[in-house]
């Protein structure tokens, strides 16, 4: 099935540990995004990639890094996890350039203890 | 102040009722999106609007650009419509700004 595949679905980390969230899309979309969702707040953009080879900071980039490995894959890395990074993370993709809707992954529930 | 405001925050209704969820935004936009998030957490795109009205099944979305306002309507509501409905606007560039969502519960 076409869509956005995001792994893992759940993760518990200890403070200071690192991890990478993986995201892949098979819709030939140009743009990819990482969001976090916290209770009582709208989804907030962490980083995005308008096209292969480019990445830009979003609203809340501190503590995160990203890699647009190729057109399909966009990973999010937490180098030293902090309790404030406990959240649900969503990857999404779109055609970009103002075209089309967005397709979201199923989310990763991350808890940092 | 959030650039995107949704109302109500929570809505409980009986099965069969006509549902309206509102979204207001404060700046000029290039498009508005309505999304649905089910209790399992997945997010599905329902509509993308830049003007007028769109309909898909029992769902209708309208937008008034001059008034900076959009509504999502559900006709003949059903318990399976229970979800969080999220409004998001695209302001100029590719990035979306999201509302905090409306939690809808339909009681059988």
């Amino acid at each position: 099935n076409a869509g956005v595949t995001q792994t893992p679905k759940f993760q518990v980390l200890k403070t200071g540990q690192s991890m990478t969230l993986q995201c892949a899309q098979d819709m030939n979309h140009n743009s990819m995004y990482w969001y976090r969702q916290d209770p009582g707040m709208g989804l907030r953009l962490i980083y995005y990639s308008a096209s292969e080879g480019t990445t830009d900071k979003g609203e809340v980039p501190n503590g995160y890094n990203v890699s647009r490995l190729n057109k399909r894959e966009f990973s999010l890395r937490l180098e030293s996890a902090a309790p404030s990074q406990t959240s649900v993370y969503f990857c999404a993709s779109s055609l970009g350039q103002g075209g089309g809707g967005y397709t979201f992954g199923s989310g990763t529930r991350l808890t940092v203890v | 102040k959030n650039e995107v405001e949704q109302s109500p925050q929570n809505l409980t209704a009986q099965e069969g009722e006509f549902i309206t969820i509102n979204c207001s935004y404060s700046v000029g936009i290039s498009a508005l999106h309505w999304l649905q998030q089910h209790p399992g957490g997945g997010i599905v795109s329902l509509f993308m609007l830049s003007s007028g009205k769109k309909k898909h099944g029992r769902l209708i979305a309208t937008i008034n650009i001059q008034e900076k306002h959009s509504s999502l309507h559900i006709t003949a509501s059903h318990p399976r419509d229970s979800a969080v409905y999220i409004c998001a606007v695209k302001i100029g560039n590719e990035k979306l700004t999201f509302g905090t969502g409306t939690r809808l519960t339909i009681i059988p």
Side-chain angles (χ1 to χ4, degrees):
Chain A
N1 290 336
V4 176
T5 303
Q6 192 179 330
T7 57
K9 291 191 185 304
F10 301 94
Q11 184 72 49
V12 179
L13 290 178
K14 294 183 179 178
T15 297
Q17 286 185 318
S18 62
M19 78 162 294
T20 299
L21 281 66
Q22 306 287 353
C23 177
Q25 53 90 10
D26 59 4
M27 296 169 289
N28 204 34
H29 283 172
N30 294 308
S31 300
M32 298 185 74
Y33 313 84
W34 277 105
Y35 296 96
R36 58 178 289 172
Q37 185 178 41
D38 300 295
M41 304 183 75
L43 285 139
R44 292 182 293 168
L45 183 65
I46 305 170
Y47 270 94
Y48 69 103
S49 170
S51 62
E52 185 179 354
T54 69
T55 61
D56 284 288
K57 295 180 181 179
E59 186 183 351
V60 288
N62 291 345
Y64 305 94
N65 285 300
V66 290
S67 296
R68 183 75 182 265
L69 304 168
N70 47 55
K71 191 170 186 179
R72 290 186 64 246
E73 299 173 285
F74 188 40
S75 62
L76 178 72
R77 183 159 178 85
L78 287 70
E79 290 290 353
S80 179
S84 61
Q85 293 177 306
T86 293
S87 188
V88 181
Y89 292 85
F90 287 94
C91 177
S93 70
S94 74
L95 274 172
Q97 299 296 321
Y102 287 65
T103 302
F104 287 81
S106 56
T108 296
R109 186 173 294 274
L110 174 67
T111 302
V112 183
V113 298
Chain B
K1 185 180 188 300
N2 198 359
E3 288 173 313
V4 182
E5 299 282 350
Q6 287 187 239
S7 63
Q9 288 188 322
N10 295 283
L11 178 58
T12 299
Q14 293 291 132
E15 183 174 356
E17 286 190 37
F18 181 81
I19 302 299
T20 297
I21 298 170
N22 297 299
C23 176
S24 297
Y25 50 92
S26 57
V27 297
I29 65 171
S30 55
L32 182 142
H33 295 251
W34 280 103
L35 309 168
Q36 180 191 56
Q37 185 170 26
H38 272 285
I43 298 174
V44 175
S45 179
L46 297 175
F47 295 104
M48 184 179 72
L49 293 162
S50 54
S51 65
K53 176 180 174 178
K54 286 190 176 180
K55 183 176 189 292
H56 186 261
R58 294 180 295 105
L59 273 59
I60 304 165
T62 64
I63 188 168
N64 186 317
I65 297 295
Q66 286 73 30
E67 295 186 3
K68 294 187 172 60
H69 181 269
S70 176
S71 293
L72 177 68
H73 305 287
I74 304 174
T75 62
S77 60
H78 190 276
R80 65 175 174 267
D81 297 325
S82 297
V84 175
Y85 292 84
I86 301 169
C87 172
V89 299
K90 185 180 291 185
I91 303 171
N93 57 25
E94 299 204 16
K95 295 174 282 186
L96 291 179
T97 299
F98 294 81
T100 55
T102 294
R103 185 175 299 276
L104 174 66
T105 303
I106 303 297
I107 299 171

